[in-house]
Amino acid sequence: MKIVLPNKVLMIILNLQMHGHDAYAVGGCVRDSILAKKPQDWDITTSAKPADIKRMFRRTVDTGIEHGTVTVLLGKDSFEVTTYRIDGVYEDNRHPKEVRFTNNLEEDLKRRDFTINAMAYNDDVRLVDVFGGMKDLNYHLIRCVGDAKERFSEDALRILRAVRFSAQLGFSIEKSTEAAIKELAPSLQHVSAERIRAELVKILVSSHPEQIREAYRLGITRVILPEWDEMEGVAQNTPHHKYDVAEHTVQAIKNVKRDKILRLTMLFHDMGKPAMKTTDENGRDHFKGHAIVSEELANVVMRRLKFDNDTIKKVTRLVCYHDYRVEATPQNVRRAMNRIGVELFPYYLAVRLADVKAQSVYQKREKVENIIKMRELYQEALVQEHCVTLHDLAVTGKDLMAIGMEPGQKLGSMLQELLEWVIDDPDCNKKEILCEYVKEKLGL
């Protein structure tokens, strides 16, 4: 098999070989190349020791030199070059206590997580596949290298990574690997929130986000996202729904584009339903107030997983307003733009549409037509530059003070009153009209 290596990767490999060392592209870049996907990163493994690597390349960074990794800088690009190594005992479910360098490529490949990530390549030897990675690619399988329990005990995050690769590639998890996941899933509690978050987001923005239910089936969400487990099996006996809460959530996630903010919003949008569920005398379920509870849960979970503040702010706001439904009139749309935010409004429309598409056929056409009309009115408001925020108002606090208002709470209330007025009637957003209105109110 021939893999076309990028020129800079080829240059690094040839330089190492000219100095008498073995060198190969290794891991995910080899896997993705075989699958005709563009690798995000190119990693190189070599028999050269870190000190030798540093001598051979002019610009390097000691990114993980204690574990044999040196980053080689070529122009604006960087490449991790790692010495063949054998890992010692793992004591923290992540890092080996010590590593030993080796001249044996197979020993290095043996320590890797999954067979599809344990292949190496250079143009001289071509594909090195000791553990059947090519076969597992052909059979669409995620299988651990060697003993699955041993691999997961070395780094518990590999448990979640198995589901992530399954979601990204559309592969099944091999039976013995799956059994080890079920047994060792509780060890994920020892993995940092940041690492959990990164894998969870990759699952959500993958082409198969429904694999989050595989994470549930294997006992993973019980450890990293117990709020998901609460949604499983919660029926929605209402004309508007045909799925339970968890399946509806999965379908809603799949109905939005692969955007982090949107898919996180759909993950959380109905998370408050189990707590707010009531059933009336006719057997019909109700979930009043679930959006507020969902917003609170989204905030709790995202802070627990150490998401950045900007992501938390956007997602929680969208969760709060995901069920905000109004008649599609120009005034209503402008007011919704004010409440939700002009920047977030297209996200809100996408969230509403994804939610409706994951519901039953009951009133679906009317709901979709309402969303489409709201989108048209939103675009019209942008084109006509209608005022929907204080920033767009034709007067400022300084203008009102110039005609006699004192700074303080009354000034702020007056600006808000003017904003509400021009949201209803955009033609009134003129300085002279607004100032005249204020003068009359003040009796000036």
Side-chain angles (χ1 to χ4, degrees):
M1 168 173 286
K2 170 70 174 176
I3 292 176
V4 178
L5 300 173
N7 288 336
K8 290 180 180 179
V9 173
L10 195 56
M11 188 186 309
I12 292 171
I13 291 174
L14 289 175
N15 192 16
L16 288 161
Q17 289 174 333
M18 282 192 302
H19 285 82
H21 304 287
D22 294 336
Y24 297 84
V26 69
C29 59
V30 176
R31 176 200 69 227
D32 289 345
S33 296
I34 294 171
L35 293 172
K37 298 175 181 285
K38 184 178 180 181
Q40 292 185 338
D41 301 294
W42 287 87
D43 295 329
I44 293 125
T45 188
T46 178
S47 59
K49 303 300 186 288
D52 299 325
I53 298 168
K54 289 167 65 68
R55 277 195 296 269
M56 277 181 264
F57 296 94
R58 188 167 59 87
R59 296 169 61 222
T60 63
V61 178
D62 295 352
T63 44
I65 199 163
E66 69 278 7
H67 294 112
T69 300
V70 174
T71 296
V72 173
L73 306 174
L74 295 178
K76 295 181 180 179
D77 299 317
S78 60
F79 304 89
E80 288 192 354
V81 181
T82 304
T83 305
Y84 299 161
R85 75 186 204 206
I86 300 171
D87 291 343
V89 177
Y90 285 74
E91 295 185 327
D92 61 356
N93 292 103
R94 180 180 182 186
H95 295 114
K97 183 178 180 182
E98 61 181 0
V99 300
R100 289 187 290 112
F101 299 137
T102 175
N103 290 319
N104 189 317
L105 173 61
E106 183 175 339
E107 288 292 334
D108 182 79
L109 297 177
K110 188 186 295 184
R111 68 179 177 80
R112 296 175 184 268
D113 52 7
F114 307 111
T115 60
I116 60 173
N117 296 334
M119 295 182 286
Y121 177 91
N122 67 27
D123 284 342
D124 296 329
V125 180
R126 298 296 175 97
L127 187 68
V128 178
D129 179 17
V130 183
F131 301 103
M134 192 69 185
K135 180 180 178 181
D136 286 339
L137 282 180
N138 288 331
Y139 282 96
H140 291 192
L141 280 178
I142 306 296
R143 181 198 308 269
C144 280
V145 173
D147 182 76
K149 288 174 66 175
E150 188 176 336
R151 294 290 83 75
F152 293 141
S153 296
E154 290 166 349
D155 184 352
L157 188 69
R158 289 171 172 172
I159 293 167
L160 189 53
R161 279 167 58 85
V163 177
R164 188 254 287 184
F165 283 120
S166 172
Q168 289 180 325
L169 302 173
F171 287 11
S172 300
I173 300 174
E174 180 267 335
K175 293 301 180 185
S176 63
T177 301
E178 183 181 279
I181 288 175
K182 287 181 177 178
E183 180 178 343
L184 296 176
S187 63
L188 279 165
Q189 65 186 304
H190 303 299
V191 178
S192 72
E194 293 86 350
R195 298 179 82 212
I196 296 290
R197 179 196 67 221
E199 296 297 324
L200 178 61
V201 169
K202 287 176 183 178
I203 291 171
L204 290 175
V205 301
S206 74
S207 53
H208 294 279
E210 68 273 11
Q211 288 302 93
I212 192 166
R213 296 200 87 175
E214 183 76 347
Y216 164 75
R217 188 180 68 82
L218 296 173
I220 293 172
T221 54
R222 188 182 311 138
V223 183
I224 69 166
L225 191 64
E227 293 82 1
W228 178 274
D229 294 43
E230 295 297 316
M231 297 193 294
E232 288 283 351
V234 177
Q236 301 187 90
N237 295 315
T238 160
H240 294 279
H241 284 281
K242 58 181 178 179
Y243 302 119
D244 71 15
V245 177
E247 182 59 27
H248 165 74
T249 299
V250 165
Q251 295 301 321
I253 292 170
K254 292 170 68 176
N255 285 337
V256 289
K257 65 181 180 179
R258 292 162 63 176
D259 172 89
K260 181 177 77 169
I261 299 297
L262 286 174
R263 291 210 161 171
L264 282 168
T265 299
M266 302 325 295
L267 171 69
F268 294 119
H269 82 286
D270 277 353
M271 201 167 265
K273 277 189 170 180
M276 302 307 290
K277 180 177 178 177
T278 59
T279 305
D280 63 25
E281 63 275 8
N282 298 316
R284 182 169 176 172
D285 295 331
H286 301 276
F287 303 91
K288 292 179 181 177
H290 79 273
I292 298 300
V293 178
S294 297
E295 178 192 13
E296 292 170 354
L297 284 171
N299 186 59
V300 167
V301 173
M302 294 180 78
R303 292 199 180 281
R304 185 175 74 222
L305 294 177
K306 301 192 185 311
F307 277 86
D308 62 276
N309 288 334
D310 182 63
T311 299
I312 294 172
K313 180 180 178 181
K314 289 176 179 176
V315 170
T316 53
R317 192 162 189 80
L318 288 167
V319 170
C320 177
Y321 282 98
H322 82 271
D323 203 32
Y324 181 68
R325 290 168 286 177
V326 292
E327 182 185 355
T329 67
Q331 290 88 349
N332 283 344
V333 169
R334 288 193 294 268
R335 184 153 279 108
M337 290 168 65
N338 170 260
R339 288 184 178 180
I340 298 166
V342 177
E343 178 191 357
L344 281 182
F345 201 76
Y347 287 79
Y348 156 76
L349 293 174
V351 165
R352 288 278 299 116
L353 190 59
D355 195 11
V356 167
K357 285 183 175 179
Q359 295 173 2
S360 70
V361 296
Y362 177 70
Q363 295 183 348
K364 179 175 282 189
R365 181 173 180 177
E366 295 94 318
K367 295 173 186 175
V368 171
E369 286 176 350
N370 174 267
I371 295 166
I372 292 172
K373 182 63 176 176
M374 290 187 77
R375 181 187 296 148
E376 292 171 354
L377 292 170
Y378 161 73
Q379 292 169 343
E380 184 179 309
L382 291 182
V383 170
Q384 297 184 11
E385 298 183 337
H386 286 165
C387 173
V388 295
T389 68
L390 287 173
H391 178 74
D392 303 320
L393 200 61
V395 294
T396 65
K398 287 184 178 180
D399 294 323
L400 300 190
M401 286 189 285
I403 60 175
M405 286 201 76
E406 296 291 330
Q409 187 175 352
K410 288 185 178 180
L411 179 65
S413 297
M414 178 59 73
L415 286 171
Q416 193 61 44
E417 183 179 333
L418 295 175
L419 176 61
E420 292 293 326
W421 181 25
V422 300
I423 285 176
D424 282 335
D425 189 354
D427 292 337
C428 292
N429 191 34
K430 295 180 176 62
K431 185 174 181 178
E432 57 276 15
I433 294 176
L434 298 177
C435 286
E436 191 61 35
Y437 174 85
V438 174
K439 288 177 182 177
E440 289 182 11
K441 290 275 290 188
L442 296 177
L444 299 174

